[in-house]
Amino acid sequence: MRCPRCNHNNSRVIDSRQTDDGRAIRRRRECENCGFRFTTFERIEAAPLLVVKRNGDREEFNRDKILRGLIRSAEKRPVAMEQMEQIVDHVENRVRGLGENEISTSLIGEYVMEDLMNVDEIAYIRFASVYRQFKDMSVFLKELQEIVDKAKSADGKEQDLF
């Protein structure tokens, strides 16, 4: 495995453990040249899954794109990288569990938002504002009101935010 710091081609495995319910192996490695420690993941190569974008284009499913979107939405929020990776794992498992060869970006986005809402509401609003492309303030306020309503039903309170 090539070191991300010095590009030396040899590293040794320090620790290995299963992740993602046994569907992946996480390995901690150390470069034999510079001593830099890094993490790699080994996963089963699944059948290609195509994502159908809003404009009709198709591209291969890329879990890194979902993770990048989550990182941007959770910036300066108390959301751990591990939580974001768990969301990506859960979304990918749900999508692959459908058994389809093609999946729409809208369904992937809905899955991400379902999981993100349970982790951090502010990160959820940030993600939703980009994903749903709010056209004006009324759409944004409607989304906020839905979050408040869900929180109230969970708490048993009966008052409006707006």
Side-chain angles (χ1 to χ4, degrees):
M1 182 64 58
R2 190 173 303 276
C3 174
R5 180 182 282 165
C6 72
N7 286 323
H8 187 70
N9 205 23
N10 290 331
S11 63
R12 64 185 183 95
V13 175
I14 298 169
D15 179 48
S16 291
R17 62 181 62 174
Q18 290 187 1
T19 61
D20 193 20
D21 296 326
R23 289 185 283 269
I25 297 175
R26 177 184 182 269
R27 299 191 195 280
R28 286 293 293 159
R29 296 178 174 270
E30 183 175 43
C31 176
E32 292 178 352
N33 184 47
C34 69
F36 181 70
R37 290 187 175 194
F38 57 100
T39 303
T40 61
F41 290 89
E42 182 178 317
R43 298 182 191 283
I44 294 174
E45 188 171 356
L49 176 64
L50 295 180
V51 176
V52 181
K53 299 174 85 172
R54 287 185 181 140
N55 65 4
D57 288 349
R58 286 167 170 71
E59 63 181 48
E60 194 166 338
F61 178 82
N62 184 346
R63 57 186 281 116
D64 291 335
K65 280 188 169 185
I66 298 170
L67 185 58
R68 281 194 306 270
L70 286 170
I71 290 169
R72 278 192 302 268
S73 67
E75 188 175 342
K76 297 183 181 177
R77 298 294 305 156
V79 180
M81 181 60 99
E82 185 176 303
Q83 289 176 298
M84 291 185 273
E85 288 173 351
Q86 287 173 351
I87 291 173
V88 174
D89 289 341
H90 186 242
V91 169
E92 182 176 10
N93 292 337
R94 285 181 75 180
V95 166
R96 291 198 184 276
L98 295 173
E100 302 289 328
N101 294 333
E102 294 184 353
I103 188 83
S104 71
T105 56
S106 61
L107 186 58
I108 292 171
E110 293 299 323
Y111 286 168
V112 170
M113 287 191 299
E114 284 175 22
D115 289 351
L116 192 55
M117 181 181 272
N118 297 324
V119 172
D120 188 274
E121 292 172 345
I122 302 300
Y124 165 81
I125 287 295
R126 289 176 177 170
F127 187 90
S129 69
V130 172
Y131 170 72
R132 291 200 174 139
Q133 299 175 344
F134 294 143
K135 301 290 186 229
D136 58 34
M137 188 59 80
S138 65
V139 178
F140 185 73
L141 290 174
K142 182 179 177 230
E143 188 74 28
L144 283 173
Q145 187 63 49
E146 288 176 15
I147 291 172
V148 170
D149 292 343
K150 286 181 185 177
K152 281 191 288 188
S153 66
D155 294 341
K157 297 177 183 175
E158 293 295 329
Q159 49 179 288
D160 284 334
L161 176 66
F162 306 106

